[in-house]
Amino acid sequence: MRFAISAVALLLTTTACTTVPMEGNIDSARTTPMVAPVLTTPDALDTSTYAQPQVARVTHVDLDLALDFAAKSVGGTATLSVLAAPGAKELVLDDKGLTIASVTDGQGKALPFTVGKSDGEKGAPLTIQIGPGGENRTVRIAYSASDADALQWLSPEQTAGGKYPYLFSQGQAILNRTWIPTQDSPGIRQTWRARVTAPKPLTVVMSGLKVGETEDLGNRRAFTYEMDKPVAPYLIAVAAGDIAFRPLGPRTGVWTEPKVLDAAASELADTEAMVSAAEKLYGPYRWGRYDMIVLPPSFPYGGMENPTLTFLTPTFIAGDRSLTGLIAHELAHSWSGNLVTNAVWGDGWLNEGVTSYFENRIVEEIYGKKRAQQEASLDYTAIIETLDRVGSDAPGTALHQPDGTDSAGSAIVYNKGAAFMRTLEHAVGRERFDAWLRQWFDKHAFQPATSQMIYDDMLAHLVTSKAEADKLKLHEWIFDPGLPSNVLRPDSAAFATVDASAKAYADAGTIPGRSTWDGWTSAERQRFLQSLPQKRSADQLGALDKALGLSASGNNEELFLWLDLALANRFDPAVEQADRFLSHVGRTKFVRPLFATLMEQGEWGQPIAKRIYAKTRAGYHSVTQASVDKVVLKD
């Protein structure tokens, strides 16, 4: 193989027990934790971290923390298990805004430390003098974190119940360094354990399996969770609030606020079947349970694939399971992303692109080929729109994006990656492709990977010759910008009826009948809205809304498309609804484009955007704030 493993990691992977239970609870009988390798090739060098894992790397994090909702702070200790090379004297961690009270070794002896100069989003290096010693070291850090970018503290008024505060974290990509002192790099995988206390009656959940019973501490309770498989540190996640649980199947269930529980459980009823479908495709689910938590609407993403506990936006709840491709996507990450993780963020397509392909296969298994084809077609359209906007020769349109490359966006990392996988599947046949992808997951389970590694693996295990590799344009797909000529284009018949209706509207203003509209899938309705002429009069927009009930849609993907079109045409009746939507929803995918559309409308839209953002900004997660600030506050 082309990739290398550091000497320190090689030592541990040959001496540590690497047996991982395939399902169920924590294996308490295992005494030696599993340790993942660290890649040392130049393409695996992560410049988003200060860590020097070849010198000293974190293998395990043990947290003992208290949540302080009044101060919006978390504090306690982080005890790190460290594997050090011979002669290593320093351990370098990532730190962004932490208050460090003390650092000691395993015997309680103080260790000198310094916090270096902060470098924007990257934060600062926390350098600890560990002195000479053996390979295995223990470092204990007493600290607190206030105003952490990863944590959003919600007031009771920002929750569905309106009675208790709420907290959730969002660590991807490099935000967990704002509340956990560790080496915050996807290529430095770690096991972890956490004991977290919160005031009664709040419940704490985390992205690991529950350990023991909840501790009663009087006016507080303590909850302990453990992840006994090495994961990328951005996958350590916590949520706390007035939440309840409902099982969905033998190993699946949902957490959410009591008022949301019925709707969430109904929307997620297919989850257990999805897990079985995923296992049928690419092997056993290796994380024990697959639970989800539906968070308050300020959550900045559609979903976050935290192991054992996917974090979800409530905006996927449409009442008809039409947006549950999101669940398939987050579940698929249990293989592509969580099981095999990109070593550097420039190879993020190894997570998102492969997962988007996998998601579509799950959708096909559960909901049928038609829906899968339609959703794949929407994704393909997004690729073409992106390439038209930025140019097919833009470096950011390559799947592998070296340091310093500005990504062209999700249509490349997610959709082009999926199109690559789909093209390969069609070319070599589904049976052969599935066998290859399954062995990729198995061979690299609980390890980091790079684009070069998957390319080499394709040469070794997927194609039969270099000539076939050249015909499939493997290298061009991964390392070159644009869209290779052999891309599998979606079947034009997938949207034939909808496209005909869109043309009839564009040519003659013929609006589909309401029964036709209601009978379409969500993908079909989205396709129609995306195909509409972009210049519409107030009368035309009013007629569309009246005929199709667009402003009353309970499907947030469709509602967003309607609001974006309406605001782009300065449709006054949509302003109040946009105000309500932006005041309630914090999902960046929706929020940023709507503010951008308003700002593009000059004297009409900019005052509206600034007025709404002035009152909504504080309720958004830092991820959404950072994105929208560039649009609304750019001057």
Side-chain angles (χ1 to χ4, degrees):
M1 298 298 291
R2 184 175 180 277
F3 67 95
I5 300 176
S6 72
V8 175
L10 182 60
L11 172 66
L12 259 174
T13 53
T14 55
T15 59
C17 172
T18 58
T19 302
V20 177
M22 304 300 283
E23 60 183 0
N25 294 322
I26 298 294
D27 182 2
S28 59
R30 193 177 64 205
T31 57
T32 306
M34 183 183 181
V35 176
V38 171
L39 307 180
T40 59
T41 50
D43 61 336
L45 177 63
D46 182 10
T47 58
S48 69
T49 180
Y50 292 103
Q52 299 172 6
Q54 298 91 341
V55 177
R57 53 83 55 101
V58 176
T59 62
H60 179 81
V61 179
D62 199 326
L63 300 170
D64 193 342
L65 303 174
L67 305 180
D68 186 337
F69 283 83
K72 297 183 179 179
S73 174
V74 58
T77 61
T79 303
L80 311 180
S81 298
V82 178
L83 182 61
K89 297 181 180 180
E90 291 185 343
L91 169 69
V92 183
L93 308 177
D94 294 302
D95 169 6
K96 188 178 180 184
L98 302 175
T99 299
I100 308 298
S102 66
V103 181
T104 59
D105 64 13
Q107 286 71 48
K109 178 183 176 182
L111 297 176
F113 68 92
T114 57
V115 178
K117 182 180 179 181
S118 180
D119 181 17
E121 293 182 2
K122 189 176 176 180
L126 170 57
T127 303
I128 301 169
Q129 303 300 318
I130 57 177
E135 289 91 357
N136 297 299
R137 315 282 187 89
T138 298
V139 173
R140 181 172 290 108
I141 304 169
Y143 74 101
S144 63
S146 301
D147 298 319
D149 290 343
L151 304 178
Q152 185 167 16
W153 304 83
L154 303 179
S155 67
E157 293 75 22
Q158 292 175 286
T159 68
K163 189 176 180 181
Y164 299 103
Y166 203 109
L167 164 71
F168 64 81
S169 68
Q170 172 53 45
Q172 194 180 33
I174 58 171
L175 293 181
N176 267 0
R177 64 190 64 184
T178 66
W179 73 286
I180 302 173
T182 188
Q183 294 174 323
D184 190 13
S185 168
I188 309 175
R189 298 174 70 111
Q190 302 154 30
T191 55
W192 61 267
R193 184 182 176 100
R195 177 181 180 271
V196 180
T197 72
K200 289 180 178 177
L202 303 187
T203 297
V204 176
V205 291
M206 295 190 73
S207 52
L209 297 179
K210 186 79 158 48
V211 178
E213 298 298 323
T214 302
E215 301 173 58
D216 191 326
L217 306 175
N219 62 351
R220 297 180 69 86
R221 295 189 296 176
F223 302 78
T224 301
Y225 292 89
E226 183 172 4
M227 174 52 65
D228 65 344
K229 307 165 184 65
V231 296
Y234 70 85
L235 294 171
I236 305 174
V238 63
D242 177 23
I243 54 176
F245 178 77
R246 182 170 299 172
L248 300 170
R251 54 186 167 171
T252 57
V254 58
W255 291 91
T256 193
E257 294 185 74
K259 284 191 175 182
V260 185
L261 191 55
D262 286 344
S266 176
E267 207 77 1
L268 295 168
D270 296 328
T271 304
E272 189 75 35
M274 285 186 178
V275 177
S276 297
E279 289 185 312
K280 178 182 175 183
L281 287 167
Y282 298 123
Y285 179 77
R286 311 185 193 213
W287 304 93
R289 291 195 57 82
Y290 183 75
D291 292 327
M292 297 151 287
I293 180 169
V294 179
L295 297 166
S298 60
F299 184 60
Y301 296 123
M304 182 61 212
E305 63 273 14
N306 302 310
T308 76
L309 188 67
T310 282
F311 282 27
L312 294 172
T313 171
T315 62
F316 85 95
I317 299 176
D320 58 3
R321 303 177 197 166
S322 59
L323 301 180
T324 49
L326 171 67
I327 314 307
H329 183 91
E330 304 309 332
L331 169 63
H333 269 304
S334 300
W335 286 259
S336 46
N338 296 358
L339 190 64
V340 185
T341 309
N342 51 271
V344 294
W345 291 113
D347 282 335
W349 78 276
L350 290 174
N351 281 17
E352 301 298 354
V354 178
T355 291
S356 295
Y357 167 79
F358 193 170
E359 164 200 340
N360 196 251
R361 292 290 301 277
I362 296 172
V363 167
E364 181 179 329
E365 288 285 329
I366 301 299
Y367 300 110
K369 191 172 184 178
K370 178 182 177 182
R371 174 169 164 178
Q373 288 178 329
Q374 290 177 342
E375 293 183 3
S377 184
L378 290 178
D379 290 347
Y380 181 81
T381 299
I383 301 173
I384 300 304
E385 290 175 348
T386 296
L387 294 177
D388 288 345
R389 185 180 74 253
V390 304
S392 60
D393 59 347
T397 63
L399 291 179
H400 169 67
Q401 299 176 353
D403 254 9
T405 303
D406 291 329
S407 173
S410 61
I412 301 302
V413 177
Y414 288 68
N415 302 356
K416 181 183 173 182
F420 177 33
M421 296 290 102
R422 199 172 291 114
T423 298
L424 290 180
E425 178 217 315
H426 179 76
V428 306
R430 179 166 282 190
E431 182 177 356
R432 181 170 146 198
F433 178 85
D434 284 352
W436 165 75
L437 187 53
R438 179 166 180 165
Q439 68 82 36
W440 166 259
F441 292 142
D442 288 344
K443 184 165 64 174
H444 300 285
F446 306 108
Q447 298 180 29
T450 66
S451 287
Q452 185 66 44
M453 287 170 59
I454 199 170
Y455 173 70
D456 290 342
D457 198 88
M458 288 174 177
L459 293 180
H461 301 291
L462 177 62
V463 300
T464 57
S465 65
K466 182 63 166 59
E468 185 181 19
D470 293 340
K471 181 180 179 182
L472 292 174
K473 303 180 184 294
L474 297 185
H475 195 276
E476 179 182 342
W477 266 103
I478 297 173
F479 297 102
D480 293 349
L483 198 60
S485 59
N486 68 328
V487 61
L488 178 67
R489 290 172 172 79
D491 186 352
S492 59
F495 285 119
T497 301
V498 176
D499 289 345
S501 292
K503 185 176 187 304
Y505 176 77
D507 292 346
T510 304
I511 301 175
R514 185 59 183 265
S515 61
T516 297
W517 175 262
D518 291 343
W520 283 347
T521 65
S522 181
E524 288 171 322
R525 293 192 291 268
Q526 291 177 54
R527 171 77 165 211
F528 179 83
L529 292 171
Q530 291 170 343
S531 302
L532 293 177
Q534 293 305 293
K535 295 296 183 181
R536 296 285 87 187
S537 69
D539 288 344
Q540 289 170 325
L541 291 169
L544 268 174
D545 189 20
K546 182 178 179 180
L548 303 180
L550 299 174
S551 60
S553 174
N555 183 305
N556 285 288
E557 296 283 353
E558 298 165 24
L559 181 59
F560 161 74
L561 291 172
W562 159 248
L563 288 175
D564 196 47
L565 176 67
L567 296 176
N569 286 280
R570 305 184 181 185
F571 187 53
D572 288 318
V575 173
E576 183 179 351
Q577 183 175 31
D579 191 331
R580 290 196 303 269
F581 185 82
L582 291 168
S583 298
H584 179 68
V585 172
R587 186 175 177 183
T588 312
K589 173 185 177 180
F590 297 147
V591 172
R592 186 186 188 279
L594 290 180
F595 277 113
T597 296
L598 282 169
M599 291 296 291
E600 290 165 1
Q601 304 313 308
E603 293 181 358
W604 180 85
Q606 290 183 11
I608 298 171
K610 292 177 180 179
R611 171 179 60 81
I612 295 174
Y613 195 45
K615 70 175 182 177
T616 60
R617 186 182 186 278
Y620 295 147
H621 188 276
S622 64
V623 170
T624 304
Q625 290 176 347
S627 179
V628 182
D629 282 354
K630 296 174 183 177
V631 173
V632 180
L633 307 180
K634 57 184 177 182
D635 295 333

